[in-house]
Amino acid sequence: MAALTFIFCEICVNAEPSFSSPSAIEQRYRRLQAELIGGVVALVGVFVAGTLWYWLVEGWPWTDAAYMTMITLATVGYGEIHPLGDRGRLFTMTLILLGVISIGYIVNRFTEALIQGYFQERIRLQQRRRLMDTLANHYIICGFGRTGRQVALEFAVEGITFVVVDLDGALLQTAQDLGYPALQGDATLDETLLRVGIDRAACIVAALPSDAENLYTVLSAKTLNPKIRAIARASTEEAVKKMRRGGADVVISPYITGGKRMAAAAIRPEVMDFLDGTLTGGDRAYYLEEFLIDPETCPLVGLSLRDARLRSQSGALVLAIRRSEGALTVGPTADTQLLPRDVIICLGTAEQLRSLNQILSPRQGKKLRLPRSSSS
């Protein structure tokens, strides 16, 4: 019995912290935790009451009192240590009854925990917590509706480390069934964002159903991590303006963007096919990628594209250069210089871009995401 009490005390001490928006599993976890604590406390109370009675009322030494209480609660069938009168025997019977009720309640809760998979769920919760604690330079997808699910699919194809946050238990279960790390919670709350490592994240995608929720999420994210890149979904042009005022780096309206793409597909179908083939999907022949010219690690700073020989060495084509002050140079010439903090946008196969990555330094602040090779 003492070993059983110790086990349940350990469970209570090492319990997971409560969440503001708990899932059904976490609610059951906390209910069983509270019931087990109640059972253990009741059993300890009965033991203390029995010891005090035999010590103070019967006048026994406290060691004999504790021993008598223990063997009584354990119902091992030992005889009385010292003779008892009618009053003492009535108390002992009451003590036995209370002990049986307390132990029976604990055993009942323990059995329910085993049947319902309490311990397996606890292990999974601990693994999820450790995963969240180890995330760094990751992406956060807030909302796993149609938009968020498509974003997650593209991230998975690209091999990006990401975590899904959603308040809807059914959507969360769908994400977990697809093998995506997911956490149930309200993405508009600071507590939830901190639990998914917002302070260590590289980018957050706000794809919640309402514009207000996406705006609150962006505001919270930028407050907790001013350097994070925030991408938000908006339904109207007015919402797009407010999102940008709220700190969103990029605002995407599915309706506006979808209309523009449909018009472009109708007018310039080959251009759209080419762009879609370089931006999405896992079976692409060519990729678009960006590289940062880091003055601390890149040996080509100050050289012209002619002298850098990026095309001849890697085979990748430099399409544009974004200067550090924001100016964009499209179709740079051979005389265009590579300046510190420039971002060059390149087109090439997976192998060509991997070769180019060996020449240039990766982007600082996030690991460069290279396309997978055809064999991977």
Side-chain angles (χ1 to χ4, degrees):
M1 185 188 66
L4 184 61
T5 303
F6 174 78
I7 291 174
F8 284 110
C9 288
E10 284 294 306
I11 293 174
C12 298
V13 169
N14 296 319
E16 292 282 320
S18 62
F19 298 149
S20 59
S21 301
S23 64
I25 294 174
E26 292 160 348
Q27 288 178 337
R28 186 172 72 247
Y29 178 94
R30 290 208 306 271
R31 178 179 62 81
L32 288 173
Q33 173 189 332
E35 292 172 350
L36 289 173
I37 291 176
V40 171
V41 170
L43 184 60
V44 172
V46 171
F47 177 83
V48 171
T51 301
L52 291 175
W53 172 275
Y54 292 122
W55 180 34
L56 298 177
V57 178
E58 299 294 336
W60 296 0
W62 72 268
T63 52
D64 289 349
Y67 180 70
M68 180 64 182
T69 304
M70 179 64 72
I71 63 176
T72 300
L73 295 178
T75 63
V76 295
Y78 292 168
E80 300 171 358
I81 298 177
H82 301 288
L84 289 172
D86 293 340
R87 181 183 62 180
R89 289 180 177 178
L90 286 174
F91 175 79
T92 301
M93 289 189 293
T94 303
L95 189 66
I96 293 173
L97 180 62
L98 293 176
V100 169
I101 292 175
S102 300
I103 295 175
Y105 179 81
I106 292 176
V107 171
N108 179 270
R109 298 296 88 193
F110 183 79
T111 303
E112 180 182 351
L114 288 178
I115 294 175
Q116 295 186 359
Y118 167 87
F119 300 105
Q120 293 88 338
E121 295 296 344
R122 179 175 181 269
I123 293 174
R124 279 194 281 268
L125 287 173
Q126 288 180 329
Q127 292 175 341
R128 188 183 309 166
R129 183 181 178 184
R130 285 195 295 266
L131 173 63
M132 299 303 170
D133 291 339
T134 58
L135 290 175
N137 293 324
H138 58 289
Y139 290 61
I140 302 172
I141 303 175
C142 300
F144 199 68
R146 287 175 295 180
T147 302
R149 189 174 308 185
Q150 187 61 40
V151 174
L153 177 62
E154 293 295 330
F155 283 177
V157 169
E158 295 289 347
I160 290 177
T161 302
F162 68 93
V163 59
V164 175
V165 180
D166 203 299
L167 191 57
D168 191 315
L171 293 178
L172 192 80
Q173 187 62 49
T174 301
Q176 292 175 342
D177 292 342
L178 293 173
Y180 303 150
L183 181 73
Q184 185 170 20
D186 188 349
T188 64
L189 300 179
D190 292 354
E191 177 189 358
T192 302
L193 295 179
L194 289 173
R195 282 162 52 199
V196 293
I198 187 67
D199 53 326
R200 306 183 304 274
C203 178
I204 183 170
V205 178
L208 296 167
S210 72
D211 293 335
E213 290 177 312
N214 289 324
L215 179 58
Y216 292 151
T217 300
V218 170
L219 290 172
S220 298
K222 283 294 186 177
T223 300
L224 298 172
N225 184 358
K227 296 182 179 179
I228 195 170
R229 181 172 176 81
I231 301 174
R233 174 188 180 275
S235 301
T236 64
E237 292 186 7
E238 183 66 22
V240 171
K241 297 177 183 178
K242 292 181 178 179
M243 297 279 184
R244 288 173 177 164
R245 292 176 196 159
D249 298 284
V250 178
V251 183
I252 304 295
S253 173
Y255 307 109
I256 298 174
T257 303
K260 291 180 178 180
R261 288 177 61 85
M262 291 177 69
I267 300 171
R268 293 177 290 274
E270 296 302 326
V271 173
M272 290 304 300
D273 288 345
F274 172 75
L275 290 177
D276 287 340
T278 58
L279 292 177
T280 60
D283 55 350
R284 290 173 275 171
Y286 293 93
Y287 298 80
L288 281 172
E289 190 56 88
E290 59 184 54
F291 299 85
L292 177 71
I293 304 300
D294 189 343
E296 297 182 0
T297 58
C298 182
L300 306 179
V301 175
L303 297 181
S304 65
L305 289 178
R306 179 187 294 108
D307 296 333
R309 299 173 51 242
L310 299 180
R311 180 68 186 276
S312 61
Q313 292 186 72
S314 66
L317 177 64
V318 179
L319 298 180
I321 298 179
R322 173 76 70 178
R323 299 299 187 184
S324 58
E325 69 275 9
L328 180 66
T329 302
V330 180
T333 65
D335 296 327
T336 303
Q337 284 187 309
L338 298 176
L339 302 179
R341 313 305 300 178
D342 280 353
V343 175
I344 62 173
I345 302 172
C346 304
L347 173 69
T349 64
E351 289 72 19
Q352 288 173 343
L353 293 178
R354 288 178 185 276
S355 176
L356 183 60
N357 186 55
Q358 301 299 318
I359 303 172
L360 301 171
S361 59
R363 293 198 63 158
Q364 300 297 316
K366 74 176 182 69
K367 291 184 178 180
L368 179 66
R369 174 185 47 81
L370 289 178
R372 297 179 178 180
S373 62
S374 57
S375 60
S376 60

